[in-house]
Amino acid sequence: EPEVTQTPSHQVTQMGQEVILRCVPISNHLYFYWYRQILGQKVEFLVSFYNNEISEKSEIFDDQFSVERPDGSNFTLKIRSTKLEDSAMYFCASSSTRTTTGGDGYTFGSGTRLTVV
Amino acid sequence: AQRVTQPEKLLSVFKGAPVELKCNYSYSGSPELFWYVQYSRQRLQLLLRHISRESIKGFTADLNKGETSFHLKKPFAQEEDSAMYYCASKDYGGATNKLIFGTGTLLAVQP
């Protein structure tokens, strides 16, 4: 079964440092997403990406965040200057269609746990 | 704003007992609802979507529009069902295909 792969599984970084979280979506999927989950809280939408541009972003996704699909296979989330409150589990997802329930729906990766110290 | 509510953080049952994980949503129209499961340190996996009305691993969930609920049920819990369960709804508040999640319920099935 195809999978969405995320690396690293756990990253520790110092406050103020830049981090890049990496995701390899399923190869024939066209729509890509990042979600995050702060410990003890709900999974929250960050951003969606299609056709090499952001389709939608939440209020969480401020200027410190950026996404990129640099080489046609990877989908990255960059946080320019990390803050303590950026500590969370970050999930990547991809889908083959624009609808939530059509086709493959959503496939999530196993997440990257980011700890900012 | 749309919300998905899972009132229980933890549900502990014995093997063989019935399980009901509660989920309520706030949306005035016809929602698209899902249950996701996360086994220890693994990915979020789609368990059920309400439109397919399927049964996966013995779990079922019925949409009750009157109660705005989408509770997940299984008649006889197994130890391997122990996991984090998230209820989610399609978010109709934006232009793209995104989900709103509940806070999750940890199901612990005791031997």
Side-chain angles (χ1 to χ4, degrees):
Chain A
E1 185 178 335
E3 291 184 349
V4 173
T5 305
Q6 289 187 245
T7 56
S9 58
H10 189 191
Q11 179 152 0
V12 181
T13 189
Q14 288 199 325
M15 191 169 55
Q17 295 297 304
E18 175 183 285
V19 294
I20 297 176
L21 309 183
R22 301 181 193 281
C23 170
V24 179
I26 292 174
S27 60
N28 64 343
H29 284 187
L30 301 175
Y31 302 85
F32 314 111
Y33 316 85
W34 284 100
Y35 287 76
R36 80 168 185 192
Q37 183 181 30
I38 295 172
L39 187 63
Q41 298 185 26
K42 60 182 65 180
V43 178
E44 300 172 291
F45 169 78
L46 289 179
V47 65
S48 58
F49 191 86
Y50 169 70
N51 200 26
N52 283 320
E53 60 183 24
I54 291 174
S55 306
E56 187 175 356
K57 58 185 180 181
S58 72
E59 59 189 25
I60 301 169
F61 194 89
D62 61 23
D63 292 343
Q64 296 282 32
F65 291 89
S66 63
V67 289
E68 196 176 34
R69 190 161 159 79
D71 56 13
S73 62
N74 289 282
F75 178 52
T76 61
L77 174 69
K78 182 191 292 186
I79 308 175
R80 287 190 186 81
S81 178
T82 50
K83 303 186 284 286
L84 294 176
E85 53 265 38
D86 293 327
S87 295
M89 181 74 94
Y90 288 82
F91 293 103
C92 175
S94 68
S95 69
S96 60
T97 70
R98 291 186 60 197
T99 65
T100 317
T101 50
D104 298 334
Y106 261 62
T107 302
F108 282 89
S110 52
T112 293
R113 181 169 297 285
L114 176 65
T115 303
V116 182
V117 297
Chain B
Q2 273 182 262
R3 285 192 313 277
V4 174
T5 304
Q6 293 180 254
E8 303 144 326
K9 288 193 174 181
L10 171 65
L11 181 64
S12 182
V13 301
F14 287 104
K15 177 182 172 182
V19 169
E20 183 179 68
L21 300 171
K22 291 185 168 49
C23 172
N24 288 90
Y25 65 90
S26 67
Y27 182 63
S28 57
S30 294
E32 287 184 44
L33 294 164
F34 310 85
W35 276 99
Y36 282 84
V37 60
Q38 186 177 34
Y39 300 102
S40 179
R41 299 184 182 184
Q42 295 187 27
R43 66 195 66 245
L44 283 167
Q45 299 177 40
L46 179 64
L47 183 63
L48 286 175
R49 61 185 90 184
H50 90 273
I51 62 163
S52 58
R53 301 185 64 80
E54 56 198 339
S55 174
I56 304 293
K57 300 184 181 182
F59 285 96
T60 59
D62 290 318
L63 174 62
N64 184 326
K65 288 188 179 180
E67 296 182 357
T68 59
S69 68
F70 187 56
H71 303 328
L72 184 68
K73 299 177 184 178
K74 184 169 183 176
F76 307 105
Q78 303 298 315
E79 288 180 69
E80 55 265 31
D81 295 329
S82 295
M84 197 73 177
Y85 290 82
Y86 294 96
C87 183
S89 169
K90 178 172 180 174
D91 184 347
Y92 292 89
T96 58
N97 185 17
K98 60 186 190 290
L99 297 170
I100 296 173
F101 284 85
T103 48
T105 298
L106 178 62
L107 174 63
V109 181
Q110 311 294 335

